[in-house]
Amino acid sequence: MKNKWQYYTTKEIKPLGWLKKQLEIQANGLCGNLDKFWVDVQESAWIGGRGENWERMPYWLDGFIPLAYLLENDDMIARVKKYMDIILSRQDSDGWICPCSKESIPTYDTWATQLFSKVLLVYYQCSKDERALNALYKMLKNYYTLLHSKKIKLFNWAKFRYFETFFAINFLYELKKEEWLVELAKILNEQGADFDNSIPFWKKPINVGSLFENHIVGIAMMLKQEAVCHDILGQEYENKAEYYHTILKHYHGTPVGLFTGDEHLSGLSPIKGTELCAVVEQMFSYETLFSLTGENKWLERLEMLAFNALPATLSDDMWTHQYVQMSNQISCEKFKGNPIFGTNGREAHLFGLQPHYPCCTVDHGQGWPKLTTSLFAYDKGVILNTIPLPSFLKTKDFEIEVTSNYPFEMNWSYTITAKKAFTFKTRIPRFAKNLKINGESKVYNEELSFEIKENQTQRIFIECDTEITVIDRPYQLKSIQYGSLVFALPIEYEEVMHEYTSGGCERKFPYCDYEYIGKSPWNYALSDFKFTLHKKSISDIPFSSKHPPLTITAKMKKIPWGLEPGFEAVCAKIPQSRMPISEEEEKELYPYGSAKLRITELPLIEE
């Protein structure tokens, strides 16, 4: 299977409308400022400092670089260049680039090498700095030499994430056709984990901190393994991603398309969490899977994550984040005893700078930028708009502007100016109803095709509707969906701010920690499945927790839901009773991404 679609880069695509606002919030928040105060980026060993010498700086750069170039932010681009200049200047003559001594290389987990190969590729694609391409070549050649000579081998994280290196391997092989790259791919694949052997751990996960087989972030990455590896390895594509996805969804699926994993796979309970790193890595896997397979289902799944799970686990200003989010999350306050999570700590669900392990502090930044760079793809003279978000694509041959409030509204338009003729396609979501093109009713088709004429400007108007649907969840619970948006009952809360110093970093406003203490009643059940949609305006914060862009009203009654035994601020996994204890009320549901505290999986009342 050859590449089905290739994505454009930050050179050609720019965000507009609400998407640009979201990226600007990120630039003004934690991701855009982390290097100014957090020791493991500000003083990273990658740039010669005393900070961490492994994954944190590369993780941060992986999101910060495309964010800077998408926004054409001169200050951020200058900082990117400053850090990359230092890192490139520190590369050894033999190609080794990671910040550890020569003596410690055999015990250094080369997951950092694999991750930094992605960073160098991203930087080259954004900046066209040839030094990055040369450094990548030397780094991988050195990696091959060390592995081939058996001076190092894959272990721990590198063993279970080896396939991340294949983005750079594939890119360089297309350029140079050098056989050592194929040999490197084969060595990595031979030493890397066989994920078929992990399936028993997915069906019966064990909460053991060192068990890589059921680690949620590695699993989110793993979904793309076969797609990125099979071609250069000369293997037939067997669509293992769908097989793995089916198993994981069955045993660990959530209403927003995540798999539960408060560090390790956690089952179907709505009060178990999912790590933020897993959100952005699962998004990137889906972006990759669509590019390499052309199967639209991966874009549909991507939308669910991007428009629900990603904004839900970040504060409105994106200065703080949760380590784990829960479907039914009635309060985010410190656990007084053991947490509800399998392996995460008592503060993992707080909103803060680093509420648990620091990986999510640095890794979350790739989510919105990489979504933006996957909005347009091309293949053999055909241009495809994958998701109709507000954006602008400009090449030497054409310009395409997308005017859109999708997914909050189901209408969007294109203005296309072409110097050369080409075929333009747009994907229509499967949930679309009553499709119209330029005012004319059309039979649904998942991809619409238009012949764009040379030296002309053409406008295309897409109109459609969708329905509010009820999705069955485990334990006889229900979730409510409108298009790609999941809705939840929001819970009012009080913010309790904590400022303190830890790990050499002062937590102070705006990057301090917050408990969100739930205050409003949450113990409701649906009276029926009659809903009303209310469209509102999109504020300067697209997924605002105060002013959501649309809401749904539903009729509900209170029930004696109860708390999970042994916990003061966690609702029971299964309501104790569904019998009503109040008169019927009309309640307003928010998009999941806007409802920081919420009940997403709701029971139906029993009379």
Side-chain angles (χ1 to χ4, degrees):
M1 181 184 67
K2 298 292 184 181
N3 287 14
K4 176 65 178 176
W5 296 102
Q6 294 186 59
Y7 291 127
Y8 287 95
T9 70
T10 58
K11 288 283 186 181
E12 295 100 0
I13 188 169
K14 299 299 174 189
L16 299 175
W18 76 258
L19 181 60
K20 185 177 182 181
K21 291 179 183 177
Q22 191 67 54
L23 290 167
E24 288 172 342
I25 293 171
Q26 180 171 328
N28 293 326
L30 193 61
C31 178
N33 292 281
L34 200 58
D35 59 319
K36 298 177 182 179
F37 60 86
W38 198 51
V39 64
D40 283 330
V41 171
Q42 185 183 53
E43 299 184 37
S44 171
W46 284 88
I47 54 174
R50 61 184 175 88
E52 190 251 16
N53 74 336
W54 192 47
E55 68 177 4
R56 296 177 195 173
M57 186 76 173
Y59 259 151
W60 176 69
L61 287 170
D62 197 31
F64 183 75
I65 291 171
L67 177 66
Y69 283 89
L70 280 168
L71 293 176
E72 300 177 294
N73 184 304
D74 291 339
D75 173 68
M76 293 173 67
I77 291 173
R79 284 149 62 199
V80 167
K81 290 181 176 178
K82 179 180 76 171
Y83 299 131
M84 294 306 296
D85 284 349
I86 296 172
I87 294 170
L88 293 175
S89 71
R90 291 170 57 84
Q91 186 175 27
D92 292 343
S93 58
D94 64 4
W96 181 260
I97 202 168
C98 298
C100 73
S101 66
K102 291 290 188 181
E103 296 75 23
S104 62
I105 288 176
T107 58
Y108 185 81
D109 186 343
T110 55
W111 154 235
T113 308
Q114 300 165 0
L115 175 57
F116 198 67
S117 72
K118 288 172 59 184
V119 173
L120 283 171
L121 183 57
V122 166
Y123 178 57
Y124 172 72
Q125 290 171 331
C126 290
S127 69
K128 299 304 178 184
D129 186 337
E130 290 292 331
R131 296 175 307 151
L133 198 59
N134 294 333
L136 179 60
Y137 180 91
K138 289 171 58 180
M139 185 186 78
L140 290 186
K141 189 66 175 288
N142 172 254
Y143 200 29
Y144 166 71
T145 300
L146 292 170
L147 287 164
H148 184 261
S149 65
K150 300 183 180 180
K151 292 180 179 179
I152 66 171
K153 63 179 181 179
L154 303 187
F155 62 91
N156 288 357
W157 300 105
K159 179 178 179 179
F160 282 83
R161 299 179 178 181
Y162 72 93
F163 47 85
E164 297 292 297
T165 326
F166 279 64
F167 291 97
I169 292 173
N170 292 337
F171 184 84
L172 286 179
Y173 188 71
E174 285 296 313
L175 283 179
K176 299 181 178 294
K177 303 296 184 184
E178 295 181 8
E179 282 305 305
W180 68 265
L181 287 161
V182 179
E183 291 303 312
L184 173 58
K186 290 179 179 178
I187 293 171
L188 290 170
N189 187 64
E190 288 167 2
Q191 293 191 22
D194 182 342
F195 295 102
D196 286 345
N197 296 333
S198 298
I199 292 174
F201 296 98
W202 303 348
K203 295 180 178 180
K204 294 183 179 179
I206 304 169
N207 290 320
V208 177
S210 61
L211 194 61
F212 295 97
E213 284 83 356
N214 66 10
H215 186 262
I216 183 59
V217 180
I219 286 171
M221 296 175 175
M222 172 277 307
L223 291 168
K224 61 181 176 289
Q225 177 268 333
E226 183 193 18
V228 297
C229 293
H230 81 281
D231 197 15
I232 196 167
L233 294 174
Q235 298 173 346
E236 290 294 321
Y237 185 68
E238 298 177 357
N239 198 16
K240 287 188 175 182
E242 184 63 25
Y243 174 57
Y244 294 154
H245 182 275
T246 300
I247 295 171
L248 292 162
K249 181 179 179 181
H250 177 77
Y251 287 96
H252 308 282
T254 76
V256 295
L258 290 173
F259 313 124
T260 58
D262 41 38
E263 206 64 32
H264 299 280
L265 292 171
S266 303
L268 293 166
S269 170
I271 54 174
K272 289 292 187 178
T274 300
E275 184 180 339
L276 173 53
C277 280
V279 178
V280 294
E281 294 295 352
Q282 198 173 331
M283 286 175 60
F284 184 57
S285 286
Y286 290 170
E287 291 155 8
T288 302
L289 281 161
F290 172 74
S291 172
L292 297 178
T293 69
E295 295 174 341
N296 286 335
K297 62 188 177 186
W298 300 116
L299 293 175
E300 295 167 7
R301 293 164 178 171
L302 171 62
E303 288 191 22
M304 291 289 289
L305 298 174
F307 305 146
N308 298 285
L310 182 58
T313 195
L314 293 154
S315 59
D316 282 8
D317 60 8
M318 291 189 73
W319 270 105
T320 64
H321 71 282
Q322 294 177 291
Y323 191 78
V324 290
Q325 61 178 288
M326 297 179 280
S327 293
N328 286 354
Q329 182 170 277
I330 64 170
S331 196
C332 292
E333 54 190 278
K334 297 178 184 179
F335 287 98
K336 295 180 174 63
N338 292 330
I340 194 70
F341 312 122
T343 49
N344 288 166
R346 295 188 298 135
E347 301 179 8
H349 59 322
L350 304 192
F351 286 79
L353 168 66
Q354 183 192 319
H356 196 56
Y357 294 127
C359 51
C360 295
T361 304
V362 283
D363 192 25
H364 78 271
Q366 69 169 303
W368 287 115
K370 290 187 179 179
L371 175 71
T372 304
T373 55
S374 67
L375 296 181
F376 283 94
Y378 63 94
D379 179 61
K380 299 175 183 176
V382 179
I383 315 301
L384 172 69
N385 179 218
T386 59
I387 304 175
L389 300 187
S391 53
F392 183 69
L393 179 67
K394 182 177 181 179
T395 73
K396 62 182 178 64
D397 294 327
F398 59 83
E399 296 179 0
I400 303 174
E401 181 174 346
V402 187
T403 303
S404 166
N405 283 327
Y406 186 85
F408 312 115
E409 297 177 6
M410 294 296 294
N411 307 315
W412 62 93
S413 65
Y414 300 101
T415 302
I416 304 174
T417 302
K419 294 180 181 178
K420 294 183 178 180
F422 67 93
T423 300
F424 174 69
K425 290 187 176 183
T426 182
R427 181 183 65 91
I428 303 298
R430 283 192 303 172
F431 48 72
K433 309 288 183 183
N434 304 320
L435 178 64
K436 292 183 180 180
I437 310 299
N438 294 332
E440 183 179 347
S441 296
K442 296 287 185 179
V443 176
Y444 171 80
N445 192 317
E446 68 175 356
E447 282 185 0
L448 299 178
S449 184
F450 304 89
E451 296 305 317
I452 306 302
K453 299 177 181 178
E454 183 179 2
N455 294 324
Q456 290 191 15
T457 296
Q458 294 175 239
R459 293 179 175 84
I460 302 168
F461 298 90
I462 311 289
E463 301 173 81
C464 55
D465 300 320
T466 192
E467 300 171 348
I468 300 171
T469 56
V470 177
I471 309 299
D472 289 332
R473 295 291 304 151
Y475 314 116
Q476 295 183 303
L477 301 176
K478 311 290 182 182
S479 65
I480 299 163
Q481 192 171 327
Y482 174 78
S484 291
L485 296 172
V486 174
F487 281 74
L489 176 68
I491 299 169
E492 297 174 7
Y493 56 89
E494 173 191 359
E495 291 186 8
V496 178
M497 184 171 69
H498 298 281
E499 295 185 314
Y500 60 100
T501 299
S502 176
C505 179
E506 184 180 7
R507 267 80 159 171
K508 61 181 181 181
F509 179 82
Y511 51 86
C512 50
D513 289 356
Y514 294 89
E515 293 181 275
Y516 287 4
I517 311 296
K519 294 298 181 183
S520 62
W522 52 267
N523 54 316
Y524 284 92
L526 294 164
S527 297
D528 54 39
F529 294 152
K530 298 176 182 178
F531 307 105
T532 304
L533 181 73
H534 303 274
K535 296 182 179 180
K536 303 182 179 183
S537 60
I538 303 174
S539 74
D540 288 338
I541 303 171
F543 291 90
S544 171
S545 60
K546 306 295 183 184
H547 305 288
L550 67 171
T551 61
I552 289 174
T553 50
K555 293 181 173 62
M556 296 185 176
K557 295 180 182 180
K558 290 180 182 175
I559 59 171
W561 191 312
L563 299 174
E564 188 70 1
F567 298 95
E568 296 181 357
V570 179
C571 67
K573 177 175 71 173
I574 305 172
Q576 295 175 3
S577 171
R578 299 163 191 256
M579 298 298 291
I581 57 173
S582 74
E583 296 299 317
E584 190 170 75
E585 303 176 44
E586 189 171 78
K587 302 297 293 184
E588 192 172 37
L589 308 180
Y590 282 15
Y592 181 96
S594 295
K596 307 306 179 186
L597 297 186
R598 59 192 167 260
I599 296 290
T600 311
E601 301 185 54
L602 289 152
L604 183 64
I605 207 76
E606 287 182 0
E607 296 290 357

